Every structure is written in structure tokens, then in C-alpha cells.
Amino acid sequence: MRMVDIIIKKRDKYELAQEEIEYFIDGYTKGDIPDYQASALAMAILLNGMTSQETKELTLAMAHSGEIMDLSEVIPIYVDKHSTGGVGDKTSLAVAPTVAACGLPVGKMSGRGLGFSGGTLDKLESIPGYRVDLTTNEFINQLKSIGIVLTGQSADLAPADGKLYGLRDVTGTVKSLPLIASSIMSKKIASGAQAILLDVKVGLGAFMTNLDEAKKLAELMVEIGKQACGNTVAILSDMNQPLGAAVGNSLELKEALDTLHNKGPADFREHVLVASGYMLALGAVTTDEKQGKAVAEEALASGKSLKKFRQLVIAQGGDVSYVDDPSKLAKARLVEDVKSSISGYLQEINAREVGEATVSLGGGRERKGDPIDHAVGIIVEHKVGDYINIGDVLFTIHANDEARALSAKKMVLQALKWSAKPVKPLPLYYGTIS
Ligand code: URA
């Protein structure tokens, strides 16, 4: 087999055979196939698509490019969760301890933020000492002993995806349904998931900006998940405006802690409860997601979720005094309100632009590996549909540099669209696929 023939076949819109997909993934993982040929194939896939059969074969080949974890001896059922990412999406920080506190062990491997979209690991690293590089043995032991782990993805799991994702990031080939679906699902299969909740974000601040595309992605991933893992459910959730109020690492961690204290913004709290409900139902702790949501609500109200989060932080070497007293978290030098000079209804708060403004403050990274400033970020004080008076605070900017604060202020004002007529609040969800 020759790689060039596989590229030509996909360029000419033919379906690839399983052996060809496996040849590509195996050769690319080993370093026998160079980046330029892998880029050419990724672009041909982006332009010409893949059948669902090809996508499944690509997913399985990537999943088997490294070790497959088996947690069946460790916990009764391994329910995993994945969010396709967005702005202000700190869901895992509150869902994992809530679900674990309800008796379903959660061991999650998360990622870092890239571009406008944040990452769970960066948020957790706002806690001094918190380790995100657990070994497989440490992962297993901690999951057994306290029923919760939040760490980084092990390099041994789906290494083909790690390589290919880095390449796609710099070759304009991220936004392809088969490539996104196989990237996400290969990692879930490799982590040994037996049931999966997929939180597929849709809107201005998501990979999928339109609902039809998001649905297609969700359907594809659910189909793969059901065949390769077990019960899989996708929720299509809004990412037109940021989730919750806080965007930026320490600020988001603090908002997650507020939620674990049974407070926090209403939309974020609701999302945490809904996602927890689905996970509890997938893990057969409750009969359905409604009952799961009620059980999760009780865990938040009773302080059980917070207690579990404390256990997690201690187990992973974090300084728990930052959880007990979030005012200790890194603070930005400048905290500036952005006030409205007009009155009217908020019609749009473009999540992507708020995310870009956070990156410009230093709170995110333009390129993989860039350092980030955990203290900076933006508090979005309102939601779409709110009526705003002149002088009301629209955003609070947390910055460590005057020039960056000024530029972020301009960016967030440009993220807004206004209406003189009442505007309906945005829904939290657009449907479920199971
Ligand atoms: N997240 C992933 O893990 N992979 C993609 O391709 C896109 C989002």
C-alpha cells in the first residue's frame, strides 16, 4: 500500500477501505508517514467527508493506536463525559464531584484550552500544587479509593489523535465532522468508557455554529459510542452566549466553587444538574435523568459535592485552603467595570468574542504550549434578553496590563448586539440524541 494512493482515493471522493485507514493511522503514529501526507489526507477528508462506516473505522484505528484502559475490575461501571468545548464551560469542575458524591465514580481525563475555548486542566491549575499528570496507576488507585479523578490525558491513550489533532490545528482541518467525531470518540474508547454523556455545544462560541451540523456530529458520535462502548447520550446545549458569568481560569474555578456551595449563576447550576442527572442515569444509580437531577440537587444542597471536591484536591496535591477560601486565588491587578452607554435589550453576547477577549488578556493561549495568566478574565454580568439601563455594568474586566484591559474592553463591547424590542432569553438546550 502507498499513502499517496490513499490520498488520491479520498481526493477523488471514493470510500476508503478499513485496511487503508488502518495503514494510515498505524504509519502516522509510528512516524513512517510524514506530516505533509497526513495533512493532505486530512484536507481531503474535510472537503469530501467520510461515510459513517469510514468514520467508525478511523475512530477504532485511532483508539487502538495506543493502550486501551480497562476499568471494569476497578469500578462497577465507567461513565465518561465529554464537552465539545466552549466559553465559560467549567461544567466538569462541578459535575464530577456531584456525580461522584452520589455514588458513581468519575475518572475524567480532560484537556487544556486552545484559542477562544477554555480547558478544565488550566482551571484546575489555578489551585497551587494541583497535579494534572497522574500516571495510569495513580489514576486507578485514586479512582478506587475516593471515586474521583480529574487529570490530563495520558500520552499512551489514542496517541494517533494527539498527533493528528496538533496537525489539524495548524492546517485548517479541525472543522470536519468525521475528524472531530473520531478524535473525541477514539479517546473515550481508549479510556475504557462503558457509557458516555456527550455535551455537544452549538452556537457562536462552539466548534459547531449551526444546529444542523451539531445534530449531525451528535448523531455520529452517539452511533459510534453505542457500538464501541455502551449507552451513549448527547445533549445539544447552547453556546451562543458564555455559560455562567465567569470566563477565565481562576474566575471560573471560583464560580464552580460557588456552585458547589449551592449558589452560582442559575444557567450554570441548571446545566450542572442536568448533566449530572444524565450521568447518574447512565450509571444506573437512578432510573432516569429526572431522578438523577433530583439526587444531584440534594448533593449540592447538602454539601456532599463540595466535600468530594475537597477530597479530590487533597488527593491530587492541591492546596485545599484555596477551596476553603477562594479569595486566596490569584487576583488580577486591575478590576474594571465596563458600563453601558446605551439602554435597550441585549440581543446577543457573542461567546466567541468574549473568549477571544479573554485570550487577549492572557487568559488563554494562541498556540499549544503558550503560558497563561490564571488571574485574568471577564465577568459577563448579564444574559441575552436582559434590559440594560445607561450606566449599568455590562462586564467586569480582570487584567494585569492597562493596554490589554483597554483592548479587551473594546472587544467585549463589540460582542454585544442590541434591540429596542424585548428579546427572548436563549434556551439552555436544543435537544437530546440517544
Ligand atoms: N475536541 C477534540 O478532542 N477533537 C476535535 O477534533 C475537536 C474537539
Side-chain angles (χ1 to χ4, degrees):
M1 236 180 270
R2 292 190 319 157
M3 185 61 195
V4 65
D5 297 325
I6 298 174
I7 298 169
I8 290 169
K9 197 167 170 188
K10 187 41 74 184
R11 181 200 69 187
D12 294 344
K13 302 194 170 91
Y14 290 102
E15 188 168 344
L16 300 179
Q18 183 178 348
E19 310 80 72
E20 290 166 328
I21 292 172
E22 286 171 358
Y23 173 84
F24 159 57
I25 290 299
D26 186 48
Y28 187 53
T29 311
K30 286 187 182 140
D32 297 342
I33 291 170
D35 278 349
Y36 54 81
Q37 285 190 309
S39 319
L41 183 63
M43 186 56 85
I45 293 172
L46 180 132
L47 295 173
N48 296 332
M50 274 186 145
T51 62
S52 65
Q53 187 59 30
E54 283 176 298
T55 310
K56 268 177 237 159
E57 281 155 4
L58 179 62
T59 308
L60 290 177
M62 293 210 293
H64 290 276
S65 64
E67 127 196 351
I68 303 268
M69 260 201 336
D70 180 4
L71 295 170
S72 57
E73 305 281 301
V74 181
I75 49 176
I77 176 167
Y78 182 24
V79 183
D80 209 347
K81 165 193 167 288
H82 184 88
S83 160
T84 56
V87 179
D89 184 9
K90 70 279 302 171
T91 309
S92 292
L93 299 178
V95 165
T98 298
V99 170
C102 295
L104 180 68
V106 179
K108 224 187 111 37
M109 294 194 189
S110 297
R112 295 193 179 280
L114 189 62
F116 66 89
S117 162
T120 303
L121 299 187
D122 297 323
K123 295 167 202 181
L124 281 166
E125 281 181 341
S126 305
I127 303 170
Y130 190 97
R131 281 184 57 209
V132 297
D133 59 351
L134 299 197
T135 62
T136 305
N137 267 347
E138 286 173 323
F139 182 99
I140 289 173
N141 289 338
Q142 190 175 313
L143 195 57
K144 255 192 212 159
S145 62
I146 62 166
I148 184 167
V149 186
L150 280 181
T151 186
Q153 157 108 29
S154 143
D156 304 331
L157 293 189
D161 175 63
K163 257 187 112 173
L164 196 56
Y165 192 63
L167 188 73
R168 286 166 56 213
D169 198 36
V170 292
T171 54
T173 50
V174 168
K175 217 178 157 184
S176 146
L177 285 190
L179 293 179
I180 296 176
S182 54
S183 163
I184 293 173
M185 296 311 288
S186 63
K187 287 176 282 204
K188 302 290 110 183
I189 296 169
S191 73
Q194 292 162 303
I196 308 169
L197 174 66
L198 297 164
D199 185 3
V200 178
K201 303 288 186 196
V202 54
L204 297 164
F207 274 114
M208 296 294 137
T209 46
N210 104 18
L211 188 54
D212 280 348
E213 291 275 279
K215 261 192 194 152
K216 275 191 207 149
L217 176 66
E219 281 164 2
L220 193 54
M221 292 197 293
V222 167
E223 193 185 326
I224 297 170
K226 280 187 169 168
Q227 282 186 14
C229 301
N231 211 351
T232 305
V233 174
I235 47 178
L236 293 158
S237 50
D238 182 72
M239 191 35 77
N240 283 296
Q241 62 186 344
L243 181 61
V247 184
N249 299 289
S250 293
L251 296 173
E252 289 191 47
L253 180 76
K254 180 165 180 315
E255 187 165 281
L257 288 171
D258 287 346
T259 304
L260 291 170
H261 274 106
N262 207 24
K263 291 182 242 151
D267 64 330
F268 177 61
R269 180 187 151 82
E270 176 66 13
H271 187 55
V272 167
L273 292 173
V274 167
S276 301
Y278 273 105
M279 284 186 78
L280 290 168
L282 283 167
V285 172
T286 60
T287 48
D288 60 22
E289 65 274 8
K290 262 198 191 143
Q291 200 195 359
K293 190 179 170 202
V295 171
E297 212 153 3
E298 203 277 319
L300 276 187
S302 64
K304 279 198 296 186
S305 306
L306 179 65
K307 200 169 152 203
K308 192 49 89 177
F309 189 75
R310 284 187 90 257
Q311 264 185 316
L312 166 76
V313 170
I314 294 167
Q316 287 189 221
D319 183 343
V320 81
S321 69
Y322 285 72
V323 175
D324 297 335
D325 179 8
S327 71
K328 283 180 75 174
L329 290 166
K331 278 195 260 322
R333 191 167 53 79
L334 308 165
V335 179
E336 292 178 6
D337 288 341
V338 181
K339 292 187 180 169
S340 182
S341 58
I342 43 178
S343 60
Y345 293 92
L346 276 177
Q347 190 184 336
E348 184 176 296
I349 308 170
N350 188 317
R352 185 181 178 123
E353 290 177 21
V354 175
E356 303 278 14
T358 305
V359 175
S360 79
L361 287 167
R365 43 180 82 78
E366 319 260 355
R367 276 173 303 273
K368 235 175 163 177
D370 282 353
I372 55 165
D373 184 344
H374 286 90
V376 300
I378 295 165
I379 302 291
V380 184
E381 307 282 356
H382 291 278
K383 288 279 154 192
V384 166
D386 286 0
Y387 184 80
I388 307 293
N389 287 299
I390 293 174
D392 285 353
V393 178
L394 295 166
F395 300 96
T396 309
I397 308 274
H398 293 243
N400 273 325
D401 175 295
E402 279 79 2
R404 287 184 180 211
L406 191 64
S407 132
K409 184 174 168 181
K410 284 189 192 143
M411 287 171 86
V412 289
L413 284 173
Q414 276 167 8
L416 302 180
K417 283 199 182 138
W418 296 86
S419 167
K421 293 191 200 131
V423 173
K424 270 200 201 150
L426 286 168
L428 270 180
Y429 299 104
Y430 298 99
T432 304
I433 289 167
S434 58

